[in-house]
Amino acid sequence: MTAIIEWDKDLRSVQEMRLAVAKAKEAQHIFAGFSQQQVDRIVKAMADAAFEQASKLAHMAVEETGLGVYEHKVIKNQVAARDVYESIRDVKTVGIVNENREEQIVEVASPFGVIAGIVPTTNPTSTAIFKSLIGVKARNAIVFSPHPAAAKCTVEAARVCMQAAREAGAPDGLIGWITEPTMEATEGLMKHPDVHLILATGGSGLVKAAYSSGKPAYGVGPGNAPVYIERSADISQSVKRIVDSKTFDNGTICASEQAVIVDQQVRHLVVHQFKNNGAYFLNEAEKKKVEAVMTLAPGKLNPKIVGKSATVIAQMAGITVPEKTRLLIAEETEVGKHIPFSIEKLSPLFAFYSVRDWQEAVDLCKQLLALGGRGHTLAIHTRDDGVARRFAEEIPVSRIVVNTPAALGAVGATTHLKPSYTLGCGTFGGNITSDNITVHHLINLKRMAYGIRDIDIPRPGTDSLPERRGEKGWHNKAVEVQQVVEKVLVEEGKVGRVDKEMVTQLVQEVLAKLG
C-alpha cells in the first residue's frame, strides 16, 4: 500500500511539472514580444514585492527547514530582491542592446525560453527570488523545482514574484513551480523538451544530473573556501569579519570560510581575537567528539549539522561550551577526506592552521580546495597588495575576496562583484563559467555584422593569386588608404566636420583608379 501511495505522489509531481512547463512555454511566447519598458516595469514590481515579503519568507524558511538564522535570511532575501534588481535594472534585454558603429556590428537580445530553476534547501527563498528576477528580466519563463525539505517556502517566494508580475502585466504562468517535488519530477523537468536551460544550485549530485541532462546548464560546484590572515593584516578587524561571515546564517552560504590559515608570527593575536568574538577552541577530546557527529563516512558531511548553531552542534557532540559560543574551532595540521575539519562543513565549525609564510599558505590553500572547493572562493586579509595579487595568480578559484567577509563578498553584498546566488566555478570546478551568474547569462546575443572590405577570390586553375590580399599588395594598399585618411582628418578642424567613412571610401576609389 505504501509503495502505491509513493507512486501516486510521483505521478502527481510529474504531472504538475508538465502542466507548469506547458503554461510557462505559452506565457513565454507572449512575453517575448513585450517591450523593454514593459519588462522593466514587471521586474521592478517583482523586486518590490519580494523585498516587502523578505521577513515573512525568512520566517517560513527557518520554520520549514530548521536551518540558519532568521535575521540573516531576511538579509539574504533583501539582497536577492534589492541588490540583484539594482544590478540588472538598466541592462538592455530587448531588441538592439549594443551597436559598435566603428566595427559595424549590431547585437540583438533574444531570450532562451523556459528555464528550469533548481533551488537548494540552504537558501530556498533568496535563490528563488534571485532566479525569478534575472530570468524574467531576460524575457524568459522559469519553472522551479524546490528541495523537498524547503518546498513550501520556495513555492511561496515564487508565488510572491508571480503575483507581482501578473499584476504588472505579465502573462500567467511565466513563473511556475512543483509543489510536491520528487526526484523523478526534477529529472523530468531538466530533460523536458520545452525546457531550454537549467539553472541549478544544489548538491554535487544534482548539479551532475543537470550537466548530464543533455541541456545547456549552469551548475555550480561546492565550496571549501580557505581564508588566509597574512601577518600585515589588521588582526582585530579581520577576525571580526571572518567570524561574522562564518556564522552568517549558520554557515549555509557556500562561499563562507571553512578553514583559517594564519601566519605563525601573528598566531597568538589571532587566537585572542577569535576568543573575543565568541569562538571556542576545542581540546583534543572535544575535537574527537565533534568529529564523530560531523561526518557519516570519510569526506561525507552529516546533513544534520548543516545550518545548525555552534551550541546545538556542541550538544549533539555531548560537550559543554559557553552559552554565547558562536563558532567551534579545532587546530589542524593535516588535510584530507579522513580529516573532518578540513572538508566543507556548511556550519559554524572551523579548522585552524598555522604556516610560516604566504608561500606555505598558498600550498595549503590548494590542498584544501582540492577536497571539493576548486574554482569557488578564497578570502585573504592583508595590507600587502602584492601578496594578494600572488594569491590571485596562483590559486585555482574564480573569486578572491580581499579584506571582506567571504560569505557576503562573494555574492556581491560587500564587493562590486555581481550580486548572485549562483556562483560559477569555471573549469577549475567543472563548470562552464567562472562568473557570478546574472541576467547576461540568460540571453542569446545575435550579432549582425556588415561587410567592411571586399576580397577578390581567384577562380580555380587560374594560378593567379591577386596580390594575396593578406600580404604585400593588399596590406600596402590598406596602409596607404589609412595614411591618406588620417592626413585628411588632421585637417578636419580647418574644413569642418568630416565623415571618416566617406573619406575612406573616396580615397579607396581614387587609389583604385590609379592602379
Side-chain angles (χ1 to χ4, degrees), residues 28-198:
Q28 196 277 326
H29 180 73
I30 298 169
F31 190 54
F34 277 35
S35 68
Q36 187 73 69
Q37 185 178 16
Q38 289 174 304
V39 171
D40 291 348
R41 182 173 65 248
I42 290 166
V43 173
K44 184 180 188 307
M46 291 166 57
D48 289 344
F51 191 85
E52 290 174 5
Q53 297 296 318
S55 178
K56 172 190 171 184
L57 294 172
H59 178 75
M60 288 182 66
V62 172
E63 186 177 63
E64 183 176 7
T65 66
L67 306 181
V69 179
Y70 160 72
E71 292 83 358
H72 298 173
K73 288 196 182 294
V74 173
I75 295 173
K76 281 184 176 181
N77 291 337
Q78 290 175 338
V79 168
R82 179 192 56 211
D83 292 16
V84 170
Y85 170 72
E86 290 296 329
S87 73
I88 67 176
R89 181 186 61 190
D90 299 324
V91 177
K92 293 181 180 180
T93 58
V94 180
I96 295 175
V97 297
N98 187 40
E99 183 170 2
N100 188 323
R101 293 184 179 275
E102 184 175 346
E103 296 183 0
Q104 298 192 50
I105 293 178
V106 177
E107 294 181 335
V108 181
S110 179
F112 279 5
V114 178
I115 295 173
I118 313 301
V119 181
T121 185
T122 47
N123 307 301
T125 54
S126 53
T127 302
I129 295 167
F130 154 69
K131 290 184 177 180
S132 293
L133 289 177
I134 64 172
V136 171
K137 174 69 174 183
R139 287 185 295 157
N140 298 300
I142 187 165
V143 176
F144 286 110
S145 177
H147 189 285
K152 290 180 181 178
C153 61
T154 298
V155 168
E156 182 59 24
R159 184 178 286 115
V160 166
C161 292
M162 181 64 247
Q163 182 177 340
R166 187 191 302 114
E167 291 174 357
D172 193 27
L174 194 65
I175 301 171
W177 49 80
I178 306 171
T179 56
E180 289 187 284
T182 63
M183 184 55 70
E184 185 174 350
T186 301
E187 290 178 351
L189 175 65
M190 292 192 291
K191 295 179 180 179
H192 197 290
D194 290 329
V195 166
H196 304 93
L197 177 78
I198 301 168

Side-chain angles (χ1 to χ4, degrees), residues 282-402:
L282 301 166
N283 62 35
E284 281 302 311
E286 293 169 332
K287 177 183 175 184
K288 284 182 168 48
K289 290 182 178 180
V290 173
E291 287 177 337
V293 301
M294 283 175 64
T295 57
L296 302 176
K300 185 174 177 57
L301 185 67
N302 180 3
K304 292 183 178 180
I305 72 165
V306 173
K308 302 299 183 183
S309 68
T311 53
V312 168
I313 295 173
Q315 289 173 0
M316 293 171 64
I319 65 173
T320 302
V321 298
E323 184 180 349
K324 294 185 179 181
T325 297
R326 302 172 64 194
L327 186 63
L328 302 180
I329 298 180
E331 296 203 46
E332 272 298 350
T333 56
E334 297 182 74
V335 176
K337 289 185 177 181
H338 63 292
I339 308 295
F341 271 92
S342 68
I343 68 172
E344 183 184 32
K345 296 165 280 292
L346 294 174
S347 57
L349 299 175
F350 223 1
F352 188 101
Y353 295 88
S354 299
V355 293
R356 291 187 297 272
D357 50 36
W358 70 264
Q359 289 98 336
E360 187 176 346
V362 165
D363 292 337
L364 184 54
C365 285
K366 289 179 179 178
Q367 293 178 52
L368 289 164
L369 289 165
L371 286 180
R374 277 178 60 88
H376 207 291
T377 301
L378 173 134
I380 181 169
H381 294 264
T382 180
R383 290 193 180 102
D384 188 336
D385 197 52
V387 170
R389 289 172 186 267
R390 290 300 299 270
F391 269 74
E393 291 173 358
E394 296 194 32
I395 301 296
V397 292
S398 301
R399 51 201 63 79
I400 298 93
V401 293
V402 183

